[in-house]
C-alpha cells in the first residue's frame, strides 16, 4: 500500500507514519544520500557551533550535562537525541524545551521538497529535520548525538566545533564489529583535523588514538589529559589547572567529567558554583529514574553490558542498606541479553520477565531461560501486566527496577502516568 505524501498542514503523526514507509530499511549506512539532501536545502551552512557526541553509552547524559552548563551561561542550545521514550518531540529540544508539532512538520515538509527522489531512513529524516530546526532558530550551540557508531552515521555530515566519545563497548555488532577496537575506530570517524576530540572512555582502544593522531585531531584523552577519580561521596575531576570535587550526581560521574573537559577545552566552562548547582538540578529521563517513592520503583534504559554495570552500581547502593531487589526485565531480541542479566544477577532476589509489544522484542519465556535461578522468576505478556501483578505486593524493604530497553522504560513511564 502506498502512503500519500503528507502536506505542511498534515499532523506530525501523519508525517511519522510516512517516514516509516519510504525506506525499505531501518538502518542504511553511508553519508552520500544524507549529504546530498542537506546540500539541496543548504542545511550545512550554519552559524551554530556543533558538538558531535558519539559513544556506546552516555551520549544522552553527556549532552544533557553540556546543555545545562551552556544554558546556565545564557547561550541558546539545540539538542538532538534518539530514541525517544514517549513522544517524538523529545528528540529535538531548544533551550531544554520540546517544540510544537508544527515545527517538526515544517522541517519534514522542507526535507520532502529537497530530497527529490533520494530515499532516507527514519533516522536520517529525523537528523536532517533537527538540523533544519536548529538553523531556523539560529541557536548558538548544537549538541548532536550520533545514532549508530560514528563514521557512517547521518550526523557525521556536519563540521563539528568539537567531537566527543563518551564510552566504547560492544553493541550493534552486526554493523560496528565484535571488538572494542573495531567499534572505537568507527566512533573515531567523527574526529576532524585540528579540532578538539575529547574521549571519556577509561580504557581507550588504540584504534581511537591511532586514527586521531593520523588525521591530526586535537586529542584530549581520559587518564592522560584529564582524570575522573571516584570518591566516597562523589567524584573528583582534574584537567589542566582545574581540580574540582563534586557530590555524587544523578548521572554517571564519568560522563560529567567528559562534559566538563569538553567545555573547559573550548573555554566555555562556567564558574564552579554554577557547575555545582547544575549538577544538583540535573535529571535525565529513563536513567535510574524514580517512578514511585513508596513503594520504591525505578526504571533504567540499560540494554547492553556497560549500561547494566552502571545499573548494578546503583542497585548495590540499596543492597548494602538491606533492601531486596525485584527486577522486571524486557528486552529486544538483538541485544546481548545474557551479558546484561549477568551484570546484575548477583544483586537480584526476584525476577519478572515481560514481553514488549514490538516486532524486535524478545519473548519473556526466552528471557526467563537466561536467569540462573528460574524458580525465582515469573513471566508476563507485557510490562503493564507485570506491574499490575507486582506493584500491589511490594513491601517497604523491596526495590523494583524496571529495565532492559528504551521501550521498557517508555511502557513503565506510561503505566505510572
Amino acid at each position: 500500500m502506498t502512503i500519500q505524501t503528507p502536506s505542511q498542514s498534515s499532523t506530525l503523526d501523519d508525517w511519522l507514519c510516512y517516514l516509516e514507509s519510504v525506506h525499505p530499511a531501518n538502518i542504511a549506512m553511508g553519508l552520500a544520500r544524507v549529504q546530498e539532501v542537506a546540500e539541496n536545502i543548504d542545511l550545512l551552512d550554519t552559524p551554530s557551533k556543533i558538538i558531535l557526541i558519539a559513544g556506546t553509552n552516555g551520549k544522552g547524559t553527556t549532552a544533557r550535562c553540556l546543555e545545562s552548563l551552556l544554558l546556565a551561561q545564557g547561550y541558546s542550545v539545540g539538542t538532538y537525541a534518539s530514541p525517544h521514550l514517549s513522544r517524538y518531540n523529545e528528540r529535538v529540544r531548544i533551550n531544554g524545551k520540546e517544540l510544537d508539532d508544527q515545527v517538526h512538520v515544517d522541517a519534514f515538509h522542507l526535507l520532502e521538497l529537497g530530497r527529490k527522489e533520494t530515499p532516507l531512513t527514519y533516522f536520517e529524516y529525523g537528523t536532517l529535520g533537527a538540523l533544519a530546526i536548529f538553523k531556523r532558530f539560529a541557536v548558538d550551540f548544537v549538541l548532536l548525538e550520533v545514532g549508530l557508531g560514528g563514521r557512517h552515521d547521518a550526523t557525521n555530515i556536519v563540521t563539528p566545533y568539537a567531537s566527543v566519545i563518551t564510552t566504547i563497548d560492544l553493541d550493534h555488532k552486526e554493523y560496528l564489529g565484535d571488538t572494542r577496537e573495531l567499534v572505537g575506530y568507527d566512533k573515531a570517524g567523527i574526529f576532524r583535523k585540528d579540532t578538539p576530540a575529547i574521549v571519556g572512555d577509561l580504557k581507550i582502544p588504540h584504534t581511537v588514538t591511532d586514527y586521531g593522531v593520523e588525521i591530526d585531531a586535537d586529542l584530549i584523552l581520559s587518564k592522560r589529559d584529564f582524570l575522573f577519580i571516584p570518591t566516597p561521596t562523589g567524584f573528583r575531576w582534574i584537567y589542566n589547572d582545574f581540580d574540582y570535587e563534586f557530590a555524587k550526581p544523578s548521572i554517571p560521574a564519568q560522563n560529567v567529567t567528559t562534559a566538563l573537559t569538553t567545555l573547559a577545552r573550548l573555554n566555555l566552562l562556567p564558574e564552579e558554583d554554577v557547575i555545582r548547582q547544575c549538577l544538583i538540578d540535573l535529571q535525565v529521563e529513563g536513567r535510574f529514574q524514580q517512578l514511585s517513592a513508596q513503594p520504591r520503583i525505578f526504571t533504567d534504559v540499560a540494554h547492553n553490558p556497560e549500561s547494566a554495570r552502571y545499573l548494578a552500581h546503583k542497585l548495590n547502593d540499596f543492597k548494602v542498606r538491606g533492601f531486596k531487589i525485584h527486577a522486571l526485565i524486557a528486552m529486544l531480541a538483538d541485544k546481548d541479553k545474557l551479558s546484561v542479566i549477568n551484570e546484575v544477577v548477583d544483586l537480584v532476589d526476584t525476577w519478572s520477565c515481560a514481553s514488549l509489544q514490538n516486532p524486535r522484542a524478545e519473548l519473556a519465556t526466552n528471557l526467563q531461560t537466561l536467569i540462573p535461578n528460574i524458580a525465582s522468576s515469573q513471566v508476563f505478556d507485557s510490562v503493564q501486566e507485570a506491574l499490575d501483578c507486582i506493584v500491589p505486593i511490594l513491601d517497604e524493604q523491596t526495590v523494583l527496577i524496571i529495565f532492559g530497553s528504551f521501550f521498557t522504560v517508555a511502557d513503565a513511564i506510561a503505566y505510572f502516568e
Side-chain angles (χ1 to χ4, degrees):
M1 181 181 71
T2 302
I3 297 180
Q4 185 175 358
T5 304
S7 69
Q8 200 165 4
S9 61
S10 299
T11 68
L12 178 57
D13 285 342
D14 288 339
W15 273 98
L16 296 177
C17 289
Y18 174 72
L19 303 191
E20 291 174 341
S21 73
V22 292
H23 196 285
N26 289 324
I27 297 173
M29 307 298 274
L31 302 180
R33 292 173 297 101
V34 186
Q35 184 94 31
E36 179 183 350
V37 176
E39 289 173 353
N40 286 347
I41 52 180
D42 195 28
L43 283 188
L44 302 181
D45 181 16
T46 172
S48 303
K49 295 179 173 68
I50 300 175
I51 299 177
L52 197 52
I53 307 169
T56 306
N57 296 298
K59 296 188 294 290
T61 49
T62 302
R64 189 62 69 90
C65 189
L66 288 167
E67 179 186 69
S68 174
L69 293 167
L70 289 168
L71 289 176
Q73 300 174 77
Y75 294 108
S76 58
V77 183
T79 306
Y80 174 59
S82 67
H84 59 273
L85 291 174
S86 304
R87 303 170 305 283
Y88 182 87
N89 308 58
E90 298 168 22
R91 295 189 178 214
V92 182
R93 297 192 303 276
I94 299 287
N95 297 336
K97 304 294 183 183
E98 294 177 18
L99 303 169
D100 292 340
D101 287 1
Q102 190 61 45
V103 177
H104 294 279
V105 169
D106 292 345
F108 292 144
H109 179 68
L110 174 67
L111 293 181
E112 192 62 16
L113 295 176
R115 80 176 178 92
K116 301 177 182 177
E117 300 300 318
T118 305
L120 295 172
T121 67
Y122 186 93
F123 179 78
E124 290 166 348
Y125 259 107
T127 301
L128 292 173
L131 292 175
I133 290 169
F134 298 146
K135 183 169 183 178
R136 170 180 171 179
F137 283 87
V139 293
D140 298 322
F141 289 92
V142 168
L143 307 175
L144 205 60
E145 287 186 37
V146 173
L148 176 63
R151 189 172 300 274
H152 304 292
D153 188 78
T155 56
N156 204 30
I157 61 172
V158 304
T159 300
Y161 188 57
S163 300
V164 177
I165 296 178
T166 56
T167 64
I168 299 164
D169 204 1
L170 301 182
D171 202 2
H172 302 292
K173 289 185 282 189
E174 68 273 30
Y175 295 101
L176 305 180
D178 58 2
T179 67
R180 293 182 76 248
E181 287 71 27
L182 288 171
V183 174
Y185 177 76
D186 195 282
K187 294 186 187 304
I190 68 169
F191 294 168
R192 301 291 192 273
K193 177 181 173 63
D194 297 328
T195 301
I198 299 90
V199 186
D201 193 87
L202 300 180
K203 295 181 180 178
I204 303 172
H206 70 86
T207 49
V208 174
T209 50
D210 289 350
Y211 181 74
V213 169
E214 176 187 335
I215 68 166
D216 291 325
D218 177 15
L219 289 172
I220 301 99
L221 307 177
S222 172
K223 288 192 170 182
R224 187 193 76 176
D225 303 305
F226 69 98
L227 296 178
F228 156 59
I229 305 170
T231 66
T233 58
F235 71 98
R236 184 180 173 194
W237 168 63
I238 301 173
Y239 172 62
N240 290 345
D241 294 333
F242 298 103
D243 186 346
Y244 294 160
E245 189 166 331
F246 299 103
K248 186 179 295 185
S250 62
I251 65 173
Q254 180 184 345
N255 298 335
V256 175
T257 61
T258 303
L260 294 177
T261 303
T262 300
L263 294 185
R265 172 61 187 83
L266 299 174
N267 297 315
L268 290 166
L269 194 69
E271 296 296 323
E272 183 179 356
D273 59 339
V274 175
I275 300 172
R276 206 170 296 281
Q277 189 59 51
C278 285
L279 295 184
I280 290 172
D281 296 338
L282 195 60
Q283 297 292 327
V284 180
E285 299 81 3
R287 274 70 171 189
F288 209 72
Q289 179 180 349
Q290 187 165 18
L291 301 178
S292 169
Q294 195 56 252
R296 290 176 175 84
I297 301 175
F298 296 84
T299 189
D300 196 281
V301 296
H303 59 278
N304 56 41
E306 184 186 32
S307 56
R309 282 193 290 275
Y310 179 72
L311 175 58
H313 173 74
K314 302 292 283 188
L315 294 177
N316 190 61
D317 288 345
F318 285 97
K319 198 72 175 177
V320 297
R321 289 154 52 195
F323 287 93
K324 292 183 177 180
I325 306 297
H326 187 145
L328 169 55
I329 184 172
M331 295 189 69
L332 298 180
D334 58 0
K335 297 302 179 182
D336 189 353
K337 301 172 290 292
L338 181 59
S339 294
V340 168
I341 289 171
N342 285 342
E343 291 292 342
V344 300
V345 70
D346 291 339
L347 297 167
V348 176
D349 300 283
T350 306
W351 286 91
S352 293
C353 304
S355 298
L356 293 168
Q357 312 310 303
N358 184 289
R360 295 166 54 204
E362 184 61 271
L363 292 174
T365 49
N366 292 340
L367 284 173
Q368 188 184 41
T369 65
L370 303 178
I371 296 168
N373 183 11
I374 290 182
S376 69
S377 66
Q378 51 190 334
V379 296
F380 298 94
D381 289 335
S382 69
V383 170
Q384 177 177 340
E385 180 185 301
L387 291 171
D388 282 341
C389 180
I390 297 166
V391 173
I393 61 174
L394 287 175
D395 58 47
E396 292 184 356
Q397 285 303 114
T398 300
V399 172
L400 173 64
I401 177 65
I402 309 159
F403 76 103
S405 170
F406 280 86
F407 296 104
T408 309
V409 170
D411 285 351
I413 291 174
Y415 182 90
F416 283 92
E417 286 180 344

